[in-house]
Amino acid sequence: MAAEIHELNRALEAFDRRNGPAGLLLRYARGRLRHRFSRLTLTLFGSVILALSVSPRIGVLACLVAVTGEVIDNYQLRGVKKQLHRGDSVKSLLRKTTLTAFAQAAGLSVFVAILWLAIPHEVSFLLCLAYLGAGAINAIMALAYHRSAALARLVVYGGTLAMLFAADYYVLEHQREQFFYNLAATFMVAYTMLPFVSYVTTGRLRNLRQQRRQIEQGLELAKANAALLQRQREGRFLSSIAENAVDSIIMLDADANTLWVNPAFTRKTGYKLSEVVGKHPSDYLHGPRSDPAILERFTNAINEGISAHGENVNYTKIGAPFWVETNLSPVFDEDGKLEMVISVDRDITLKKQREAELAEAKRAAEQGERAKTAFLATMSHEIRTPMNGIIGMAELLSDAKLSSEEALYVQTIRHSSEALLTIINDILDFSKLQDGHLKISSVAFEVQPCLDEVMNLMRPQAAAKGIALDIEMKDDLPRAVWGDDGRLRQVLVNIIGNAIKFTEKGSVTVQVGTVKEGPDHGLEIAVTDTGIGIAPDRIEHVFDQFAQADAATTRRFGGTGLGLAISRQLSRMMGGDVTVTSAVNVGSCFMITVDFPEVNLPTKRAIDPDVLPEPAVFAGTTVLLAEDNRTNRFLVQKLLKDLPLTLITAVNGKEAVEKVKEYKPDVVLMDMSMPEMDGLDATRYIRNHVPTQPHIIALTANAYRSDRQACLEAGMNGFLPKPVRRGELLQAIAKGLESRSRAV
Ligand code: ADP
């Protein structure tokens, strides 16, 4: 088919070439040359007549004139092909060949004039008319090929005839009658030639047009055939795709009635085409679990003639449900009217199953994670309560008169329980970080006292190991900053604690400076030690939860592997980070940054936790202790035993309320979790119903910051986390008494 189209295209091109200006000129030249001998024969014939009837000289002369014109014209026409090839313009060749045509016609006209004048007039008229008529017919035949040459010839022949008639009219006056007969005869000949002229010109043109249309029609037909073949091929191709597709394909008409289904549909649903044709898909595919909203969306899409996509539950012939992902595509006819809708349904039951399994696994994992976090939180809280007793009792015991061996035992108990408390605090913080409960609460605080406090806390440990612990502060350090001092302290205690723990000899140096990036002053604290260092392959892992540089470290130094993970997370929550550089057996440098902007804070009197209030402060006061745990009650009794105050106790919130009403205590030490009525409810009740209001201090193992908030919201005045130290307890009570006396 393509070859046929190619052939026809070439034929059309050849046709246009043949009938274009150059093609016509060439054909004109060829035609004229082809008939040159017959024209020459006629000329010779006339010359012979002249030679015989007039004189041989006249015959030769006439012949020479006619042949000269012919030779000039032929010479030019023979060169046309070559000149066209050479690239000469068609226009100039047409001009040249018109001139030579003129010359040829002029030669013939002179020949005819000699005939007309030399031979007797009775015969010459007919002979001349024959010659001029033959020339004119020749010219007319060439009209379609070379219009200007043909017209030039006709003008010359017409002019010659007119001149000869004029000569006849004026010169041969005596034969006027004959002249008019000849003129009439000439008009008759011209008149009879007119249909011939019109036939040759218009007929030829029509012929040419027809030829071209035939080729064009042939070409169009061939193209249409090719397109048809292509569509047939595509149709076969598409239908074979639909037949062999793995997905179900349903073709619906514009009213959503089924036209056709593919074999995959039959395999999946069990319905044959004959069972569903003409039916709406919802009549045979949908069931109780199919989503009506999706069905409505599909119906609307079909009505609006737009495509739609959705997932839904379909049913097989025997009622088994399966998940499908449906793609609806409208198909329009040439006029843009909805012709049909193609629905491609992919079975996604397995995918859905997998999704459900994954969601279930995720839910289980999250539940497990929550359970783990809750367990850790509960456990650490539960352990804090007895720890409170152990640490408190050990503290009391260390004040008693003991032998040096007994004092060592007590000290060991205290150190061990404090180590245990650190672990518990870590676990508690870790579980809070895990479930996102840990919050950073910023306050304005002084940098120097905060750092001093940390250093004072760490010094005994360093001294015990014979390690120097130094602090270097930059001069431009801000006096006060805005941030969470408690959390900064926690990070520092952990990292300086590690530095001391992992250093056998040498020193630990803390360098404090500022990061000046933008308008804010961040703090930058470098803790450098001369300890065991960390191997390069472990260095980044030390920040992972429960990760330690190696197992031997755990055995040698103990620890949970949580400290650095917590420190890094806390620092990041405070807008900074913790990074480390280290070399094995040389030492490590931990760099802590926090984004704490500088603030203005009025200078205030420092409180020294080790300075105990004067006992006289407590004289004549009543303190109520509400605590369900016997050990803790005993501990507080012991801590307050030498003071001139009256201590009464309650074992739950309800009893606390009763005793507040009865004894009107100055200060209440309120445990948070107690049976019957907890500390928060008891406080709220006291605040709302008791006329004489005590100062209430929460005393609790619940160390969360949110708990502190809850205590304050319930109406408590202070908060003491367990285990309670004697100094802190006395200071808190003294502060309560002071604020009460101020209020009175
Ligand atoms: P822990 O100290 O409770 O094991 P950390 O998270 O605080 O947990 O530290 C993780 C590990 O990083 C430590 O076990 C130790 O191997 C390593 N490490 C931390 N600080 C230092 C240090 N200053 N020098 C050498 N190793 C350290």
Side-chain angles (χ1 to χ4, degrees):
M1 195 48 71
E4 194 181 338
I5 293 174
H6 183 67
E7 263 317 298
L8 285 163
N9 267 325
R10 281 183 54 177
L12 198 63
E13 269 170 31
F15 179 89
D16 286 342
R17 220 177 17 252
R18 264 166 58 81
N19 295 292
L24 287 176
L25 174 63
L26 212 58
R27 286 168 71 191
Y28 160 79
R30 259 191 238 125
R32 293 273 332 160
L33 290 171
R34 200 180 309 129
H35 298 293
R36 65 183 183 280
F37 290 113
S38 45
R39 284 196 304 275
L40 218 52
T41 312
L42 282 174
T43 310
L44 283 176
F45 175 68
S47 304
V48 170
I49 290 175
L50 271 176
L52 291 179
S53 59
V54 185
S55 79
R57 259 206 284 149
I58 295 288
V60 170
L61 179 73
C63 182
L64 272 178
V65 174
V67 168
T68 306
E70 188 69 45
V71 166
I72 292 171
D73 191 36
N74 284 358
Y75 179 77
Q76 176 58 41
L77 293 178
R78 279 174 67 129
V80 162
K81 194 175 176 187
K82 214 185 273 166
Q83 282 161 337
L84 277 174
H85 269 291
R86 209 168 54 194
D88 286 7
S89 86
V90 176
K91 226 176 183 174
S92 86
L93 285 175
L94 283 173
R95 220 177 298 127
K96 282 181 195 165
T97 46
T98 304
L99 280 176
T100 57
F102 189 85
Q104 184 268 329
L108 183 65
S109 293
V110 172
F111 175 81
V112 169
I114 293 172
L115 268 181
W116 182 288
L117 298 173
I119 59 173
H121 205 265
E122 297 80 53
V123 287
S124 72
F125 170 72
L126 194 59
L127 203 57
C128 291
L129 200 61
Y131 269 103
L132 287 177
I137 287 171
N138 256 336
I140 289 163
M141 297 281 277
L143 249 176
Y145 301 94
H146 196 329
R147 198 176 170 76
S148 55
L151 288 176
R153 281 196 175 91
L154 288 174
V155 166
V156 173
Y157 296 147
T160 306
L161 201 62
M163 277 188 335
L164 289 177
F165 268 110
D168 257 11
Y169 188 78
Y170 291 110
V171 182
L172 310 170
E173 264 178 56
H174 54 282
Q175 289 169 347
R176 278 279 156 82
E177 213 170 292
Q178 180 73 31
F179 168 81
F180 283 112
Y181 286 139
N182 287 352
L183 197 61
T186 305
F187 278 120
M188 279 305 289
V189 169
Y191 179 73
T192 49
M193 271 173 71
L194 272 179
F196 168 70
V197 172
S198 115
Y199 172 79
V200 168
T201 50
T202 57
R204 216 194 100 75
L205 261 176
R206 200 173 35 242
N207 203 12
L208 274 178
R209 254 185 252 126
Q210 245 168 20
Q211 274 181 27
R212 194 168 200 286
R213 188 158 323 127
Q214 263 176 9
I215 302 175
E216 277 174 354
Q217 278 173 352
L219 193 63
E220 273 164 25
L221 199 69
K223 281 181 180 168
N225 273 339
L228 196 68
L229 262 176
Q230 180 66 16
R231 288 183 76 159
Q232 278 175 353
R233 212 174 294 137
E234 276 173 15
R236 269 202 310 278
F237 182 60
L238 288 176
S239 70
S240 78
I241 291 177
E243 292 274 344
N244 297 303
V246 182
D247 294 339
S248 299
I249 299 175
I250 309 169
M251 286 185 182
L252 307 168
D253 64 17
D255 297 322
N257 294 319
T258 309
L259 293 171
W260 182 82
V261 291
N262 71 340
F265 172 88
T266 305
R267 277 197 301 278
K268 180 72 219 171
T269 62
Y271 287 114
K272 290 198 198 96
L273 174 61
S274 55
E275 292 173 289
V276 296
V277 79
K279 289 185 186 165
H280 196 281
S282 58
D283 296 342
Y284 55 88
L285 275 182
H286 301 140
R289 279 174 55 200
S290 306
D291 184 351
I294 301 267
L295 300 181
E296 196 184 321
R297 186 141 62 81
F298 285 170
T299 310
N300 290 342
I302 293 174
N303 290 341
E304 288 168 31
I306 54 172
S307 40
H309 172 93
E311 293 179 355
N312 207 352
V313 177
N314 281 357
Y315 286 81
T316 64
K317 193 175 170 181
I318 57 164
F322 61 99
W323 272 96
V324 283
E325 182 186 8
T326 301
N327 274 301
L328 275 189
S329 311
V331 178
F332 299 97
D333 63 13
E334 290 85 14
D335 307 328
K337 250 182 71 192
L338 182 67
E339 194 174 19
M340 63 173 162
V341 176
I342 298 176
S343 167
V344 180
D345 293 354
R346 173 161 296 179
D347 186 347
I348 52 163
T349 312
L350 268 178
K351 184 183 136 201
K352 282 282 170 188
Q353 262 170 18
R354 227 164 283 140
E355 274 174 14
E357 281 164 15
L358 265 175
E360 176 55 28
K362 186 167 174 266
R363 201 189 55 75
E366 281 169 359
Q367 205 176 22
E369 192 61 28
R370 269 199 302 278
K372 187 187 90 185
T373 310
F375 171 76
L376 287 175
T378 315
M379 279 310 292
S380 62
H381 175 254
E382 288 306 314
I383 296 168
R384 276 176 89 88
T385 308
M387 280 305 296
N388 188 34
I390 298 170
I391 292 174
M393 288 302 151
E395 201 173 332
L396 283 178
L397 210 55
S398 61
D399 289 345
K401 287 193 178 60
L402 300 172
S403 68
S404 59
E405 197 179 349
E406 285 166 340
L408 190 68
Y409 294 160
V410 172
Q411 202 184 5
T412 312
I413 294 173
R414 281 184 68 184
H415 285 169
S416 306
S417 35
E418 261 154 20
L420 194 54
L421 199 64
T422 313
I423 293 173
I424 292 163
N425 284 340
D426 275 1
I427 291 176
L428 200 60
D429 273 346
F430 167 71
S431 57
K432 283 200 287 181
L433 277 170
Q434 287 292 92
D435 59 19
H437 276 132
L438 203 138
K439 297 270 176 305
I440 296 296
S441 38
S442 297
V443 290
F445 72 93
E446 288 183 51
V447 178
Q448 175 96 40
C450 171
L451 294 171
D452 285 348
E453 216 175 292
V454 174
M455 296 305 281
N456 289 339
L457 198 71
M458 304 315 291
R459 270 207 177 91
Q461 280 182 39
K465 288 185 84 175
I467 299 166
L469 175 60
D470 304 313
I471 183 159
E472 294 168 11
M473 303 219 205
K474 288 269 166 63
D475 295 338
D476 60 351
L477 218 56
R479 192 179 69 78
V481 289
W482 180 259
D484 192 329
D485 58 332
R487 293 296 174 195
L488 175 64
R489 228 176 276 131
Q490 183 180 351
V491 172
L492 285 173
V493 165
N494 180 263
I495 288 175
I496 300 172
N498 273 351
I500 298 169
K501 185 161 83 170
F502 295 109
T503 304
E504 291 305 326
K505 57 176 191 300
S507 63
V508 172
T509 313
V510 181
Q511 290 157 306
V512 190
T514 50
V515 217
K516 284 193 186 112
E517 263 173 26
D520 293 345
H521 275 271
L523 292 181
E524 189 179 63
I525 305 167
V527 179
T528 315
D529 65 54
T530 55
I532 60 169
I534 306 164
D537 61 327
R538 296 297 308 157
I539 201 147
E540 258 313 305
H541 296 291
V542 296
F543 293 103
D544 297 346
Q545 292 149 10
F546 301 107
Q548 294 179 318
D550 61 65
T553 317
T554 326
R555 279 195 297 278
R556 220 166 106 206
F557 300 100
T560 55
L562 279 177
L564 285 180
I566 294 171
S567 298
R568 175 171 261 187
Q569 280 204 48
L570 286 176
S571 303
R572 286 183 176 171
M573 285 168 82
M574 294 189 285
D577 203 353
V578 180
T579 51
V580 60
T581 47
S582 185
V584 175
N585 294 330
V586 177
S588 311
C589 175
F590 282 84
M591 177 66 82
I592 306 146
T593 51
V594 281
D595 184 14
F596 286 0
E598 184 174 5
V599 285
N600 282 324
L601 192 71
T603 350
K604 61 171 193 218
R605 193 166 47 88
I607 299 168
D608 187 344
D610 293 336
V611 179
L612 293 180
E614 287 296 319
V617 171
F618 306 99
T621 56
T622 309
V623 175
L624 169 68
L625 169 66
E627 167 67 83
D628 61 323
N629 184 293
R630 203 156 53 86
T631 318
N632 287 342
R633 277 203 306 276
F634 176 66
L635 177 66
V636 174
Q637 280 167 349
K638 287 289 170 198
L639 290 175
L640 302 179
K641 95 172 174 287
D642 296 330
L643 296 175
L645 55 77
T646 315
L647 181 67
I648 44 176
T649 55
V651 295
N652 58 46
K654 220 167 170 188
E655 197 184 330
V657 170
E658 296 306 321
K659 291 207 167 159
V660 166
K661 282 184 191 161
E662 194 181 337
Y663 296 99
K664 300 182 182 59
D666 301 282
V667 175
V668 177
L669 301 172
M670 184 80 82
D671 186 24
M672 265 177 86
S673 43
M674 286 185 291
E676 300 214 29
M677 185 188 257
D678 68 17
L680 294 177
D681 285 343
T683 306
R684 275 191 279 270
Y685 188 89
I686 293 166
R687 290 294 181 231
N688 292 327
H689 299 98
V690 177
T692 323
Q693 287 293 323
H695 184 90
I696 306 178
I697 301 166
L699 199 65
T700 172
N702 294 358
Y704 286 157
R705 212 161 265 247
S706 54
D707 298 330
R708 179 192 291 254
Q709 196 58 33
C711 291
L712 297 179
E713 277 167 12
M716 298 195 192
N717 306 94
F719 185 95
L720 273 180
K722 292 178 188 173
V724 185
R725 310 287 154 85
R726 188 159 189 256
E728 288 170 352
L729 179 63
L730 298 197
Q731 276 183 9
I733 297 173
K735 205 169 132 198
L737 292 173
E738 192 188 323
S739 66
R740 248 182 128 247
S741 64
R742 264 208 312 273
V744 173

